[in-house]
Amino acid sequence: MEKDLRIKSHVFSDDARKAPNRAMLRAVGFSTEDFKKPMIGIASTWSEVTPCNIHIDKLALKAKEGARTAGGAPLIFNTITVSDGISMGTDGMRYSLPSRDLIADSIETVVQGESLDGFVAIGGCDKNMPGCLMAIARIDLPSVFVYGGTIKPGKLDGKDIDIVSAFEGVGEYNKGAIGDEQLQKIECHACPGSGSCGGMYTANTMASAIEALGMSLPGSSSNPAETEAKHDDCFTAGKAVYQLLEQDIRPRQILTKKAFENAITVVMALGGSTNAILHLMAIAHCAEVDLKLEDFNRLQERVPHIADLKPSGKYVMQDLFEAGGVPAVMKLLLKEGLLHGDCLTVTGKTLEENLKEFPDLKAGQQVIHPVGEPLRKDGPLVVLKGNLAPNGAVAKVSGLKVKSMTGPAKVFDDEESASKAVMANQIVAGDVLVIRYEGPKGGPGMPEMLSLSGILVGKGLGESVALLTDGRFSGGSHGLVVGHIAPEAQVGGPIALIKNGDLITIDSEEKLLSVDLSDAELAVRKQTWNPPALPSRGTLAKYARLVSCSSKGAVTDSFEETVAEHPVHS
């Protein structure tokens, strides 16, 4: 007798009382035979608002075809996306991080509300991936994630360019290094088609991390968007969910502490985005895995940075794909004893078993350095602590010559006023630019600051001006930038108490972020401090009142913390 794979949908598949439920499904194309099959959802993030997602409608159809071929009864449903590249530097950026949790909530709502038995989730832009994985971890039904894939590099004057070239071009334009015509050329050539931003920015970082977690098919994170291989990824993912149902393999069997250590290791080796720390913490929270900021520093000390990838390096994800892709990098790390090879994956095999089926890095490739000749002997993502960040802050130090800096604070309460000061040449070498009230609650929404970091780099100030914030940085940001400062200003963290001229020290080797103020002085300043008002209506108002500290992943369902901060009175 065949195993019944209808682990959830059986509630209305056979019962005579559920004839009305089945009638609704017949209207969308179900046959009598389909009610004997497991219902497999295809969570699509298709949208025309960003090149990262514009092709995902076709990928969803391939996943549906794969699920049906395997024996399932598939249904496509959609969720939202926000384009970080388009919203960057505008008030719209405040909606980017909240969209991650909305995506997770919406997928959970449909999968649970429709009693689906398993699902494929397909993501493109930055917050899609952690949002999909958060839902997968919460629901714990057989699931596979598929990345929509990277964009091709743009071409200009014989060189590869990308979206970060455009952000940094604004700084070059402001400095007078380029004119209107060259800036427009960069604008017109930076994004040549479908797919997510091309460097080792947040989308490609999280795609690589999810493959290392074991929640996507081997090789799928580095297959570019506009390839047959990406269509194959989706078709195979649809089949894979059916196989996971047959084997009763659930995400939480895959999402173990060792799997998260594998993901962190790959992110460190590739020189990934600071956002990976925030998102991996959030996914671990949903999977009920005890992951802490200290785990990132522990692995940072033993994993070398070996990938010469943008934003601090030369190459893009397409180049990594051509060099052998993420599996070839993981094979190298496994040989060096840096990965746990015995972790289960969505193939039903272990990580080590999967990697045996892939070739090593191609001979002569320049993207990945040998472990013995790294770009940096340890990882480039560093968690800093000190009296300015008691709960932690995150710095990305790849490519930096400057290891430490002490300088006077120039303090701004929002990104816009800071950007105007930079463009007006009011920020000079040696300054520590502090932007606060941009955290998860205070933003609200913890906006990224690629516009500002890009301008600083374009003006030649990337390593001589430190940029500190309780907000976030894009995976495309580089330079002397420190984000995720916690506690944030909105809840009275020390960053709220800084004044112009206070001396701030950033030391990546000592993992220190401090201000030259005594505890007594900070306490005196705290007595006269009052938080700014939060929005009283709408999505951001809800988000500000629910969201946890960035040091805990900025999640919106950590009620032990948020109830204490915002007691509910009857």
Side-chain angles (χ1 to χ4, degrees):
M1 183 176 174
E2 284 191 10
K3 182 180 179 181
D4 189 349
L5 304 181
R6 300 172 299 173
I7 54 180
K8 297 275 286 185
S9 64
H10 67 85
V11 296
F12 49 67
S13 294
D14 299 315
D15 192 335
R17 294 172 298 172
K18 298 301 187 289
N21 311 60
R22 294 192 294 275
M24 295 287 285
L25 285 165
R26 288 182 187 278
V28 299
F30 267 48
S31 66
T32 299
E33 190 63 28
D34 285 329
F35 292 113
K36 300 174 185 177
K37 303 172 182 177
M39 288 175 57
I40 297 174
I42 312 297
S44 168
T45 56
W46 172 76
S47 175
E48 291 185 335
V49 304
T50 172
C52 310
N53 296 61
I54 196 167
H55 61 306
I56 287 177
D57 54 340
K58 297 178 180 64
L59 299 184
L61 290 171
K62 295 301 294 186
K64 180 178 181 180
E65 183 185 343
R68 184 168 290 284
T69 299
L75 295 160
I76 296 174
F77 65 93
N78 278 78
T79 183
I80 65 159
T81 190
V82 170
S83 171
D84 287 10
I86 296 172
S87 64
M88 197 73 67
T90 74
D91 282 343
M93 192 66 222
R94 302 187 188 284
Y95 289 85
S96 171
L97 185 60
S99 78
R100 180 194 72 179
D101 293 61
L102 279 171
I103 289 165
D105 291 348
S106 64
I107 292 174
E108 178 186 350
T109 298
V110 174
V111 170
Q112 300 287 48
E114 299 297 314
S115 298
L116 303 180
D117 300 303
F119 63 101
V120 176
I122 310 171
C125 201
D126 294 11
K127 307 309 172 295
N128 300 173
M129 279 154 282
C132 289
L133 261 290
M134 288 164 71
I136 284 170
R138 283 185 201 167
I139 301 166
D140 201 31
L141 288 172
S143 313
V144 175
F145 175 78
V146 185
Y147 175 40
T150 186
I151 196 171
K152 294 176 183 176
K155 301 286 185 182
L156 181 63
D157 301 327
K159 296 180 180 178
D160 288 349
I161 65 168
D162 62 10
I163 187 63
V164 175
S165 308
F167 281 107
E168 293 177 0
V170 174
E172 294 178 84
Y173 177 81
N174 179 249
K175 189 173 70 171
I178 62 173
D180 291 314
E181 183 179 353
Q182 185 65 13
L183 183 61
Q184 187 178 28
K185 283 183 180 179
I186 295 170
E187 173 188 329
C188 293
H189 291 83
C191 300
S194 304
S196 300
C197 299
M200 191 45 62
Y201 311 143
T202 302
N204 284 320
T205 296
M206 289 310 301
S208 303
I210 292 166
E211 183 171 328
L213 279 172
M215 284 307 307
S216 61
L217 296 171
S220 61
S221 66
S222 37
N223 288 337
E226 296 178 339
T227 60
E228 280 302 311
K230 184 52 59 185
H231 284 243
D232 292 343
D233 289 340
C234 294
F235 180 83
T236 308
K239 292 173 64 178
V241 171
Y242 191 90
Q243 292 159 3
L244 290 170
L245 281 161
E246 289 180 313
Q247 298 171 68
D248 194 24
I249 294 176
R250 309 290 182 105
R252 293 197 187 184
Q253 295 169 254
I254 297 169
L255 295 170
T256 63
K257 181 68 175 280
K258 291 203 301 185
F260 280 94
E261 290 181 349
N262 283 345
I264 295 167
T265 295
V266 168
V267 168
M268 292 290 180
L270 293 177
S273 166
T274 52
N275 283 312
I277 295 180
L278 191 76
H279 296 327
L280 288 171
M281 292 285 288
I283 297 164
H285 167 80
C286 293
E288 299 185 64
V289 170
D290 183 23
L291 188 66
K292 293 183 169 62
L293 287 177
E294 290 73 19
D295 292 314
F296 289 85
N297 270 351
R298 173 171 56 84
L299 292 164
Q300 181 269 340
E301 291 170 2
R302 66 187 295 261
V303 179
H305 177 203
I306 57 174
D308 189 11
L309 291 164
K310 290 187 176 186
S312 58
K314 179 179 180 182
Y315 299 101
V316 295
M317 194 67 164
Q318 174 97 14
D319 298 312
L320 177 58
F321 164 71
E322 291 169 359
V326 170
V329 177
M330 289 203 290
K331 282 191 78 171
L332 177 62
L333 295 172
L334 183 65
K335 287 177 186 176
E336 295 291 333
L338 295 170
L339 291 178
H340 303 290
D342 59 344
C343 289
L344 183 64
T345 74
V346 290
T347 65
K349 301 176 183 178
T350 66
L351 183 75
E352 184 172 11
E353 288 171 332
N354 287 340
L355 293 178
K356 286 178 181 177
E357 300 174 14
F358 285 83
D360 294 337
L361 287 161
K362 290 183 179 177
Q365 62 81 33
Q366 301 294 313
V367 183
I368 304 298
H369 287 220
V371 170
E373 301 172 26
L375 292 160
R376 180 185 166 94
K377 64 180 177 58
D378 51 12
L381 298 183
V382 183
V383 175
L384 310 176
K385 287 194 174 182
N387 70 340
L388 186 50
N391 291 354
V394 180
K396 184 173 180 179
V397 295
S398 53
L400 284 180
K401 298 183 181 72
V402 178
K403 308 293 184 185
S404 64
M405 174 181 172
T406 298
K410 288 193 175 175
V411 184
F412 298 87
D413 287 347
D414 59 79
E415 182 188 3
E416 179 64 18
S417 57
S419 296
K420 287 179 179 178
V422 171
M423 296 288 277
N425 299 317
Q426 294 168 8
I427 306 300
V428 299
D431 284 343
V432 177
L433 181 56
V434 178
I435 306 175
R436 61 192 178 192
Y437 298 107
E438 298 285 19
K441 294 181 184 297
M446 206 179 180
E448 291 180 351
M449 298 184 189
L450 176 57
S451 293
L452 184 50
S453 66
I455 290 168
L456 286 170
V457 171
K459 287 173 72 72
L461 297 172
E463 292 203 35
S464 58
V465 169
L467 176 53
L468 274 58
T469 182
D470 50 6
R472 295 183 299 126
F473 290 104
S474 164
S477 293
H478 62 113
L480 194 54
V481 297
V482 180
H484 308 199
I485 293 175
E488 63 173 290
Q490 185 68 34
V491 300
I495 190 174
L497 312 176
I498 303 302
K499 296 180 180 178
N500 285 330
D502 289 342
L503 287 178
I504 293 175
T505 295
I506 307 106
D507 191 322
S508 62
E509 294 190 319
E510 296 296 323
K511 298 183 172 66
L512 176 69
L513 181 62
S514 65
V515 58
D516 188 18
L517 296 171
S518 66
D519 291 346
E521 174 61 22
L522 287 168
V524 168
R525 293 187 185 186
K526 185 73 175 281
Q527 290 175 359
T528 57
W529 171 82
N530 288 297
L534 291 170
S536 60
R537 294 287 186 275
T539 294
L540 293 182
K542 288 190 288 186
Y543 184 80
R545 286 158 178 80
L546 288 174
V547 70
S548 73
C549 180
S550 60
S551 65
K552 297 187 176 181
V555 294
T556 52
D557 63 345
S558 183
F559 295 109
E560 297 84 357
E561 178 180 346
T562 54
V563 169
E565 290 177 3
H566 302 285
V568 177
H569 300 287
S570 57

